[in-house]
Amino acid sequence: MRTSIATVCLSGGLVEKLHAIAEAGFDGVEIMDSDLVPAAESPEEIRALCARLGLTIDLFQPFRDFEGVDEVTLADNLRRARAKFEIMDRLGAKMILLCSNVATATIADHEVAAEQLGQLADLASEYGISIAYEALAWGRYVSDYRDAWKIVQLADRPNLGVCLDSFHVLSRGHDPREIEAIDAEKLFFLQLADAPHMQMDILSWSRHHRLFPGEGDFDLISFVSHMIRAGYRGPLSLEVFNDTFRQTDVRRTAKHALRSLRWLYDRACAANSWESKIDAPQPPRAIDFVELTGEDLGEIEQALHQLGFVFGGRHRSKPVRLWQAGEANVILNEQPRTQGTRLGSLGLLVDDAEAAKRRAVAIGAPAAFRRTYEGEYDLPGVLATEGIEVFWNARTAEESWRDEFEGGSTPGTESMRGVIDHINIAYPWQEFDEAVLFHTSTLALGAEPASELPGPRGLVRSQVMRTDDGVVRIAMNLAPPTAPLLPRHIAVRVDDAISVARRAKERGLPFLPIPDNYYDDLEARFGLDAELLAELQELDLFYDRDEQGSFLHFYTPVVDQVFLEVVQRIDGYDGYGAANAPVRLTAQRTFESETA
Ligand code: MG
Ligand code: MG
């Protein structure tokens, strides 16, 4: 399948965009009139540049407000069109996108629209140009692709067909199944955009909040499947108007954009049992390990010890130490000259680690390099978002990277036993959507609905990516743009958070102090019995409850951008204590300023 992208998706000038689009690996481009007009280069120069970069000009767009007008307006519209056809001729562009009339239509009659489109098509044919007619979701008389198709049939010109844009169809809730009723040779063009479900006017939703496929709530896999089953053989093209992507690094965004199309096409192939060149997703079976990197991890190490983690040994060839609590493996990797403490890598258990890596690389993730020595496990991995590396492992009980660690202690009765419940990663505003796609496309995680939590420095957007069974969960946080990046954390799930907390306190672990107001509110909300409430308050524990069950959790203070959380899920509780997040964020800020 050929791939294409509208220049409007990216930041920068036209020449910069074309270079980035070619470098990312797209086959073609939709040139936006509004990108050409301000460019210093002539249409001939842009044509030559595209040829040199190996990009086909798949579409010139848009032409607006043409049909359903009075005779005087029509004459002027034909004059406007001829001028643009002249420019397209110089560009070497063979197809123009015509949006349904928004502003100047006064005649609500398909016959009239068809007759006028026929005149436009005849004029275009003098230039060897085709017209792809698109029903805009907010078109005055034509806002449904089925009406656009009726008008195209009525006009009946060989160089007139329809353009389907997933946003315009799905934002209106129009049934995409009827795409398959359109003649294959009349499906001239396909534009793809995802979007989050939102309650707002469609025009603003479209102009500011479109996303690349896989990042929003639309079912684009079905949409593309209908197009291909209907016989569409043109490129899969992206048309994403988005405030963030218009500001971010053009080369990075172009690469990210192509990944979204590769993912989408692969998923459409899987849904239809068509052959795909990409390996099947490998849903993770567990979080195998979390690695923290920093210059001095002594404080984290002490906190792990106080919580009841057991020293699992020193790596035999690297400055790396392992701490374990049952199935929870935390690796501390001390590297000189690293800035702060960060989440260095994440290990996931899968059935086929090599296939997981091949898939990620085929979608467009850069391979990660890990130095290994004779006899050490070579874990396949890629560079994920936020500088984190992801490694896949298909280890068995007999064979494991754990064997590379020597001199560990044996767990005792005081030791904590648990699993990694979730990890929490903070993203800068420009990388959040890209990370959502990374998690779905290469880690085979699904997205829970996003939420917004009030913090002392602004609203924090939160989205959890997880496996269906919940064994792997990555909580993503988006800090307010003006605030420093939020710290990341690792949450370990245990069977008895109260006794873990009590032992950790005895061992001198500092807890994030929780204000008394919080416990007054807990009592009011849940009517907890006095004994439990007193115990929660004494130990600085958080509590939450939903229809399924309840949740106990507590946090260590932030050490150099990282902290630890201990959680206990009682019965079927499936959340993350979101209601407690504002209290936690405020407590962390207070703690920071008191200890700084
Ligand atoms: Mg469009
Ligand atoms: Mg958490």
Side-chain angles (χ1 to χ4, degrees):
M1 201 47 124
R2 297 182 63 255
T3 54
S4 191
I5 183 170
T7 52
V8 72
C9 303
L10 305 170
S11 66
L14 182 55
V15 168
E16 240 179 310
K17 294 183 190 210
L18 292 172
H19 277 281
I21 290 166
E23 187 184 300
F26 282 94
D27 302 305
V29 64
E30 295 178 31
I31 293 191
M32 294 290 285
D33 203 5
S34 56
D35 277 316
L36 180 65
V37 171
E41 296 75 17
S42 67
E44 289 82 358
E45 284 170 317
I46 296 299
R47 176 187 200 152
L49 177 62
C50 287
R52 184 160 66 73
L53 293 172
L55 292 174
T56 53
I57 299 178
D58 296 324
L59 194 72
F60 180 76
Q61 72 129 320
F63 193 72
R64 293 187 189 281
D65 296 328
F66 178 81
E67 81 289 11
V69 296
D70 59 57
E71 286 302 317
V72 177
T73 312
L74 179 66
D76 191 50
N77 287 351
L78 286 166
R79 180 200 58 77
R80 281 198 294 129
R82 185 182 285 280
K84 291 299 172 185
F85 293 157
E86 296 281 351
I87 289 163
M88 288 176 67
D89 200 40
R90 295 167 61 196
L91 261 182
K94 292 291 173 202
M95 191 180 288
I96 191 167
L97 176 81
L98 173 68
C99 303
S100 61
N101 197 330
V102 173
T104 61
T106 51
I107 307 166
D109 184 334
H110 286 358
E111 301 269 352
V112 172
E115 194 276 320
Q116 296 181 346
L117 282 188
Q119 291 189 44
L120 183 67
D122 293 342
L123 178 62
S125 71
E126 292 173 27
Y127 297 85
I129 287 172
S130 316
I131 297 164
Y133 183 47
E134 174 188 70
L136 288 189
W138 52 91
R140 179 167 297 176
Y141 300 122
V142 179
S143 58
D144 184 327
Y145 75 93
R146 292 161 290 201
D147 288 325
W149 168 225
K150 275 181 207 147
I151 293 168
V152 163
Q153 284 173 290
L154 283 171
D156 191 24
R157 298 295 200 284
N159 64 331
L160 177 66
V162 291
C163 170
L164 271 294
D165 179 319
S166 61
F167 184 87
H168 294 300
V169 178
L170 301 176
S171 65
R172 295 289 306 262
H174 294 155
D175 188 346
R177 281 179 300 189
E178 288 175 53
I179 291 172
E180 295 189 41
I182 301 175
D183 295 345
E185 72 276 8
K186 288 296 184 185
L187 291 169
F188 276 15
F189 211 75
L190 168 62
Q191 292 180 315
L192 293 162
D194 206 338
H197 287 311
M198 291 181 122
Q199 292 293 333
M200 69 190 306
D201 72 286
I202 295 184
L203 179 60
S204 309
W205 185 17
S206 172
R207 289 279 163 81
H208 302 285
H209 301 285
R210 289 189 182 207
L211 291 168
F212 291 118
E215 297 171 353
D217 297 324
F218 287 170
D219 183 1
L220 292 184
I221 297 168
S222 300
F223 193 88
V224 163
S225 301
H226 290 307
M227 283 295 286
I228 296 174
R229 285 204 296 263
Y232 176 70
R233 294 294 175 265
L236 301 186
S237 191
L238 295 164
E239 190 192 31
V240 173
F241 303 89
N242 178 290
D243 297 349
T244 298
F245 302 139
R246 283 193 208 232
Q247 298 173 61
T248 48
D249 179 76
V250 61
R251 295 163 74 216
R252 180 179 176 139
T253 310
K255 289 195 183 92
H256 162 51
L258 186 61
R259 287 199 285 269
S260 75
L261 279 187
R262 287 181 178 153
W263 167 81
L264 176 60
Y265 185 58
D266 170 67
R267 292 297 81 205
C269 288
N272 293 280
S273 307
W274 301 327
E275 196 191 330
S276 172
K277 293 193 184 78
I278 298 178
D279 285 270
Q282 294 286 318
R285 291 189 277 113
I287 293 180
D288 192 22
F289 63 83
V290 177
E291 178 189 53
L292 297 174
T293 311
E295 184 150 18
D296 177 3
L297 299 171
E299 261 188 275
I300 290 278
E301 185 155 38
Q302 185 175 325
L304 288 168
H305 176 63
Q306 288 166 324
L307 277 173
F309 272 70
V310 176
F311 181 59
R314 237 169 258 286
H315 194 271
R316 54 176 193 248
S317 69
K318 296 170 195 161
V320 171
R321 300 189 294 278
L322 172 64
W323 285 82
Q324 296 178 296
E327 289 299 306
N329 298 305
V330 176
I331 293 171
L332 302 181
N333 184 351
E334 282 186 345
Q335 300 282 344
R337 296 180 301 279
T338 34
Q339 281 280 317
T341 300
R342 49 176 299 115
L343 206 54
S345 70
L346 172 66
L348 296 173
L349 276 182
V350 290
D351 290 333
D352 186 341
E354 288 296 340
K357 178 178 176 174
R358 279 197 306 271
R359 173 177 175 79
V361 170
I363 285 173
F369 172 73
R370 167 154 291 211
R371 197 181 53 188
T372 48
Y373 296 102
E374 186 73 22
E376 291 179 0
Y377 294 95
D378 189 9
L379 299 179
V382 295
L383 190 59
T385 50
E386 259 300 279
I388 298 166
E389 293 173 326
V390 171
F391 293 98
W392 289 280
N393 189 3
R395 76 174 156 85
T396 57
E398 305 82 57
E399 270 203 1
S400 165
W401 54 262
R402 290 193 205 181
D403 304 341
E404 292 165 15
F405 290 83
E406 295 165 345
S409 316
T410 316
T413 49
E414 295 283 274
S415 307
M416 178 167 131
R417 305 197 62 81
V419 294
I420 292 175
D421 184 85
H422 62 275
I423 61 167
N424 187 304
I425 308 172
Y427 290 89
W429 62 275
Q430 71 274 27
E431 291 173 23
F432 194 84
D433 298 312
E434 182 179 333
V436 171
L437 179 68
F438 179 85
H439 290 126
T440 47
S441 64
T442 68
L443 302 190
L445 301 178
E448 282 186 15
S451 58
E452 274 182 340
L453 312 164
R457 290 187 172 106
L459 280 182
V460 174
R461 182 168 148 206
S462 173
Q463 172 139 42
V464 176
M465 309 292 303
R466 58 177 281 181
T467 51
D468 289 343
D469 60 8
V471 292
V472 174
R473 304 170 192 245
I474 298 176
M476 300 173 53
N477 281 341
L478 176 65
T482 51
L485 206 57
L486 296 162
R488 301 104 202 274
H489 72 261
I490 302 168
V492 181
R493 186 169 72 244
V494 298
D495 290 335
D496 184 357
I498 290 181
S499 51
V500 170
R502 199 169 284 288
R503 268 203 311 270
K505 280 225 158 146
E506 283 163 15
R507 290 177 178 176
L509 178 72
F511 277 48
L512 195 63
I514 309 305
D516 291 339
N517 292 347
Y518 172 75
Y519 297 95
D520 293 341
D521 181 57
L522 267 192
E523 188 178 13
R525 282 195 289 150
F526 299 117
L528 295 182
D529 76 66
E531 204 178 316
L532 175 61
L533 193 68
E535 196 161 36
L536 297 177
Q537 187 158 12
E538 179 209 338
L539 293 170
D540 287 303
L541 296 183
F542 283 109
Y543 176 89
D544 192 26
R545 194 157 80 197
D546 65 12
E547 306 77 51
Q548 280 80 42
S550 55
F551 189 55
L552 291 173
H553 60 142
F554 67 91
Y555 299 91
T556 67
V558 180
V559 180
D560 213 6
Q561 288 302 296
V562 172
F563 61 99
L564 301 164
E565 179 184 8
V566 172
V567 309
Q568 180 186 354
R569 295 179 183 279
I570 300 163
D571 300 325
Y573 182 92
D574 202 33
Y576 309 87
N580 300 326
V583 181
R584 188 255 294 174
L585 290 164
T586 305
Q588 282 175 331
R589 189 174 182 223
T590 311
F591 190 90
E592 262 170 56
S593 50
E594 279 171 6
T595 54

